[in-house]
Amino acid sequence: MTMQVISVPSTPFSGQKPGTSGLRKKVTVFRQARYLENFVQAIFDTLSGQQGQTLVLGGDGRYYNDVAIQTILRMAAATGFGRVLVGRNGILSTPAASAVIRKWQAFGGIILSASHNSGGPDGDFGIKYNLGNGGPANESFTDAVYLRTQEIRAYDTVESPDIDLSKVGETCIGDMVVSIIDPVADYAELLESLFDFDRIARLLARPDFRMRFDAMHAVTGPYALEILENRLGAPPGTVVNCIPLPDFAGGHPDPNPVYAADLVAALADSRSGLSFGAASDGDGDRNMIVGRNFVVSPSDSLAVLAANHALVPAYASGLAGVARSMPTSCAVDRVAEALGIPCYETPTGWKYFGSLLDAGRCTLCGEESAGTGSNHVREKDGLWAVLYWLNILAVRDLPADVIVREHWRRFGRNVYSRHDYEGIEIAQGDRLMNDLRARLSQLPGSEYGGLRIATADDFAYVDPVDGSRSERQGIRILLDDGSRAVFRLSGTGTEGATLRVYLERFIADPGQHEIPTQEALAPLVGLADAVARIAAITGRKVPNVIS
Ligand code: G16
């Protein structure tokens, strides 16, 4: 039954510019009349050829997810999509959405998430569009969407009651079929095809191996239960905080030592009997890996996964290449060199890995911001990283901390930390970056506390596959001894600005590898503050999050 399309007059909202990963704003901003509709219409106007095609739709279940899904379904019918695949109850983790888009060769997908940001009525909400390859839309697409939001005059919808999303099955809005799918099945099947599940199951059955997976009341709960407990036979209770809640139980679903402190503490307490811990974030694409009294840094994790690829069925035949975002430590570069494969350095944001993966130039990629993934989907993938680690642990029969320490002995240690100054004023953040940019050419040769700057630049990237250029992707200061300090403003926050300072120092001597990270980086911290005048401009003497 063809339905009448209703064109609802609207006017533009300012600031609908997608950041590092889609549009993220406070729920209170998204709840304004026409706000979500304008942005969705801008996406649909930027697309062409969607008529009769399939769209994938789902989110991390945060507050407003259910309302937004009903709105988008009506608008998808109005723009002429032939079918929408929706995760049951509106749930799809980000990597699962990517897997579903690819498996069913959908035209694209809309993912509703603000990732690791807090949820609830006063928390954050977000929306992003993924292309038919399953990956986040590239910068030219998101720029075009933003332009469209500034000139929008109406959005199109149809009149139709809300769809019951709680049961798997098919229903219709006019001519458009709404297929409600099991959000876990396609994804679990894909992961099972990549790893040695028999071997992992044997590890999980061992009385001397106990793991805990903390789903942080976010979307990975059902995925982790199905894969770890049901398919791999981990003891009940292995997955904790496994019921996704719209406000993440008031927590912050960001798997780092600050927000997953309980997990880190449990692994540090020998009485817990735990040997391995892991966690994932709001939408299931980030991961944290914890050994006994040892948190694996995301940059090291990527390097260890690459170095051990031969142990994992899907990657045993070799890696085409690896890729990391520019601020991510150079640990994986050393592995790539040893393997004789290329290592690509991209700007921050998973969208930059898509063309490399599509072109078969790299197999694994990762970022310092707790994301690792491979060519199996086009998003970073939290549970994938956990299974990859379990596969390595099962084959090598060594604890995670020993594996990392051995890695350092072989490749050297890239000591690494990120210092965040959250909630500074936007004007302060802009001033700091602009001042620094203006002084870049004067920095080489200057010294701070015995450290000498060799080069300084503003990172620009030319995609080797499609030739597209991205400018101003972070200021890099490289020292004579190979140490680095990198400065960026976050593109995912919703309040004020966040200055990120990424610090890295290479230590080859194994006798020095146990030096505490912050101690090793202290001189570099002093240099970063002096060069960028952080305290002088922001008034902040210390960062508020160190990871
Ligand atoms: C997003 C992007 C990542 C990026 C991270 C941090 O992750 O997908 O590629 O590294 O944000 O970005 P920023 O430093 O600009 O805040 P997520 O997990 O939030 O979707």
Side-chain angles (χ1 to χ4, degrees):
M1 173 194 63
T2 304
M3 294 187 101
Q4 199 198 339
V5 173
I6 305 161
S7 181
V8 182
S10 190
T11 48
F13 288 91
S14 63
Q16 289 198 319
K17 186 172 173 51
T20 312
S21 182
L23 184 69
R24 291 188 190 165
K25 299 282 177 194
K26 293 270 162 218
V27 167
T28 46
V29 173
F30 266 103
R31 284 172 93 176
Q32 298 172 88
R34 305 177 288 98
Y35 191 90
L36 173 71
E37 288 86 343
N38 272 17
F39 191 74
V40 173
Q41 188 64 50
I43 293 174
F44 290 164
D45 288 351
T46 306
L47 297 173
S48 65
Q50 65 264 48
Q51 289 68 29
Q53 300 277 353
T54 299
L55 179 76
V56 171
L57 178 60
D60 62 12
R62 67 178 55 230
Y63 189 86
Y64 205 56
N65 194 59
D66 48 354
V67 178
I69 284 193
Q70 301 290 350
T71 301
I72 296 168
L73 282 173
R74 284 187 271 267
M75 291 183 68
T79 198
F81 274 104
R83 177 182 291 270
V84 182
L85 304 178
V86 197
R88 188 179 48 233
N89 292 323
I91 293 284
L92 273 176
S93 79
T94 292
S98 187
V100 171
I101 293 171
R102 293 170 67 77
K103 175 168 178 182
W104 300 106
Q105 293 171 1
F107 189 76
I110 291 181
I111 302 177
L112 303 170
S113 167
S115 187
H116 53 290
N117 297 11
S118 61
D122 299 318
D124 291 348
F125 190 74
I127 173 169
K128 68 172 181 166
Y129 184 75
N130 279 29
L131 304 171
N133 72 347
N138 48 27
E139 210 175 290
S140 62
F141 184 91
T142 54
D143 285 350
V145 170
Y146 176 51
L147 273 182
R148 188 71 195 130
T149 64
Q150 294 171 300
E151 57 195 26
I152 207 131
R153 290 286 170 265
Y155 69 86
D156 292 341
T157 188
V158 297
E159 219 162 86
S160 165
D162 281 358
I163 300 269
D164 176 4
L165 299 175
S166 66
K167 284 182 206 69
V168 168
E170 290 196 345
T171 160
C172 284
I173 299 180
D175 290 336
M176 185 184 83
V177 178
V178 179
S179 297
I180 297 162
I181 60 167
D182 175 343
V184 178
D186 292 332
Y187 175 79
E189 182 186 286
L190 174 63
L191 289 199
E192 196 161 351
S193 73
L194 305 175
F195 299 103
D196 189 338
F197 266 40
D198 290 343
R199 213 151 176 176
I200 299 174
R202 286 204 294 279
L203 174 72
L204 291 170
R206 274 167 51 168
D208 60 339
F209 184 88
R210 275 193 55 210
M211 90 169 269
R212 177 177 296 170
F213 179 90
D214 190 342
M216 303 188 87
H217 297 291
V219 80
T220 39
Y223 295 87
L225 276 179
E226 171 60 20
I227 294 171
L228 295 172
E229 296 193 13
N230 297 347
R231 297 196 183 204
L232 287 164
T238 297
V239 182
V240 301
N241 300 324
C242 56
I243 298 174
L245 297 173
D247 67 348
F248 311 117
H252 209 112
D254 194 359
N256 64 33
V258 178
Y259 296 119
D262 290 356
L263 181 68
V264 175
L267 266 293
D269 182 353
S270 56
R271 289 166 305 178
S272 72
L274 290 169
S275 25
F276 183 66
S280 192
D281 71 329
D283 61 332
D285 57 2
R286 296 186 175 206
N287 73 86
M288 181 169 72
I289 302 295
V290 194
R292 291 168 319 184
N293 204 11
F294 189 95
V295 178
V296 182
S297 97
S299 296
D300 278 346
S301 178
L302 173 63
V304 168
L305 300 189
N308 289 278
H309 70 89
L311 310 180
V312 178
Y315 312 104
S317 62
L319 305 176
V322 290
R324 63 163 172 85
S325 65
M326 181 273 282
T328 303
S329 99
C330 303
V332 75
D333 302 39
R334 295 173 188 281
V335 178
E337 203 186 333
L339 293 172
I341 57 172
C343 176
Y344 297 91
E345 184 177 36
T346 60
T348 294
W350 209 261
K351 55 183 177 255
Y352 296 101
F353 294 133
S355 71
L356 298 172
L357 292 164
D358 284 351
R361 291 202 186 208
C362 74
T363 311
L364 300 185
C365 27
E367 294 186 277
E368 50 69 36
S369 56
T372 23
S374 86
N375 56 357
H376 70 294
V377 289
R378 294 293 181 273
E379 290 279 2
K380 54 190 186 278
D381 190 342
L383 266 167
W384 169 89
V386 176
L387 291 172
Y388 200 132
W389 265 95
L390 284 170
N391 200 143
I392 294 172
L393 298 180
V395 177
R396 294 193 57 185
D397 196 15
L398 289 170
D401 61 301
V402 174
I403 287 176
V404 177
R405 289 191 165 100
E406 275 196 355
H407 184 94
W408 291 345
R409 272 198 294 283
R410 179 165 169 218
F411 295 96
R413 178 176 177 202
N414 289 71
V415 184
Y416 185 84
S417 181
R418 187 176 95 189
H419 288 196
D420 292 334
Y421 299 77
E422 294 181 331
I424 61 175
E425 285 171 26
I426 291 176
Q428 290 175 341
D430 289 342
R431 191 178 139 209
L432 186 143
M433 292 300 286
N434 289 335
D435 280 9
L436 192 53
R437 211 169 263 129
R439 283 182 285 116
L440 279 180
S441 62
Q442 299 152 28
L443 292 178
S446 50
E447 285 193 24
Y448 295 84
L451 299 174
R452 205 176 119 88
I453 295 177
T455 59
D457 68 1
D458 197 350
F459 182 61
Y461 176 67
V462 178
D463 184 306
V465 180
D466 64 19
S468 58
R469 191 175 167 85
S470 308
E471 312 264 1
R472 295 188 162 206
Q473 296 295 329
I475 292 177
R476 300 190 285 192
I477 297 197
L478 191 69
L479 307 190
D480 271 352
D481 66 356
S483 301
R484 294 197 305 170
V486 172
F487 302 83
R488 270 184 76 244
L489 294 178
S490 159
T492 54
T494 58
E495 255 176 84
T498 294
L499 171 69
R500 301 207 195 284
V501 183
Y502 310 83
L503 305 151
E504 177 175 2
R505 181 183 152 199
F506 179 66
I507 301 183
D509 175 10
Q512 301 281 313
H513 285 169
E514 295 300 323
I515 183 170
T517 301
Q518 299 308 320
E519 193 181 316
L521 296 174
L524 207 49
V525 172
L527 174 136
D529 182 51
V531 172
R533 305 200 301 127
I534 300 171
I537 294 177
T538 67
R540 299 279 186 86
K541 290 205 168 50
V542 286
N544 62 317
V545 178
I546 293 183
S547 53

